[in-house]
Amino acid sequence: MNDQGTRNDAELRRAWADANAADVAEQTRKARPGGPADRDDDASSAPLWATVLAALVIPVAVLFGSLAPMATDSCGPDNCSRALDGTLALVKYSLFTTVIGTPALLLTSWLLPRRMRYTKARKYFAWGALLPPVIVILMVLGLPE
C-alpha cells in the first residue's frame, strides 16, 4: 500500500506540474530581465540621426533666434505691433527650450535601455528633440511686420 500511495502521489505531482507549467514559465519570464531576443539591435539609429540633424539645425536656430530682436529696429521698442512683440517673446521662449530641452531629450533617447519595449519612446524622444529648433527657425522666418 505504501508503494501504491507513493506512486499515486508522484503521479499527482507530475500531473499538477504539467498542468501549471505554462503559469510557472510565464512567472519565470516576468521575473527575469529580457534576453537576447528582447534586445533592440537598431536602437541607436533614431538617436544617431536626431543628434546629427540637431547638430546642423541648432546653430541655425540660435543664430536666427539671436538676430530676431533686430526686427524691432525699424519701429523702435515702443511703436512695434503687438503681434511682433508677442512673436519675439515666443521666439525667446523657444530658443530657451532649444538650448535646454533639446540636449535633455537627446540624452534621454540615448540612455533608454536597448530593449524592444523602449523603441517607440526612444524614437519619440529623439525626434521630439528636433521640434524646438525647427519651431524657432519657422517663427523667425514668419515674423509679422
Side-chain angles (χ1 to χ4, degrees):
M1 176 145 167
N2 197 10
D3 224 10
Q4 182 70 20
T6 305
R7 263 190 273 160
N8 286 338
D9 188 39
E11 288 174 6
L12 287 174
R13 287 179 187 264
R14 191 175 315 117
W16 182 87
D18 291 342
N20 294 312
D23 294 338
V24 171
E26 180 68 21
Q27 290 173 357
T28 305
R29 186 187 65 77
K30 286 182 181 177
R32 288 190 218 154
D38 187 37
R39 184 158 177 80
D40 188 7
D41 295 332
D42 196 29
S44 63
S45 66
L48 179 67
W49 279 106
T51 303
V52 168
L53 290 174
L56 298 172
V57 173
I58 288 176
V60 174
V62 170
L63 178 69
F64 282 18
S66 300
L67 295 176
M70 292 175 59
T72 61
D73 287 348
S74 63
C75 60
D78 298 331
N79 299 328
C80 291
S81 68
R82 296 182 102 197
L84 180 62
D85 288 339
T87 305
L88 287 175
L90 286 174
V91 167
K92 183 178 178 181
Y93 176 73
S94 297
L95 191 61
F96 176 76
T97 306
T98 297
V99 173
I100 301 298
T102 298
L105 289 171
L106 285 174
L107 186 65
T108 302
S109 71
W110 278 107
L111 293 179
L112 280 172
R114 305 285 188 229
R115 300 288 177 217
M116 292 300 288
R117 65 179 170 204
Y118 295 108
T119 301
K120 284 185 181 180
R122 186 178 303 106
K123 288 179 182 178
Y124 289 148
F125 280 119
W127 297 117
L130 294 175
L131 286 178
V134 169
I135 289 173
V136 168
I137 292 171
L138 293 176
M139 284 191 338
V140 170
L141 291 176
L143 281 175
E145 293 192 24

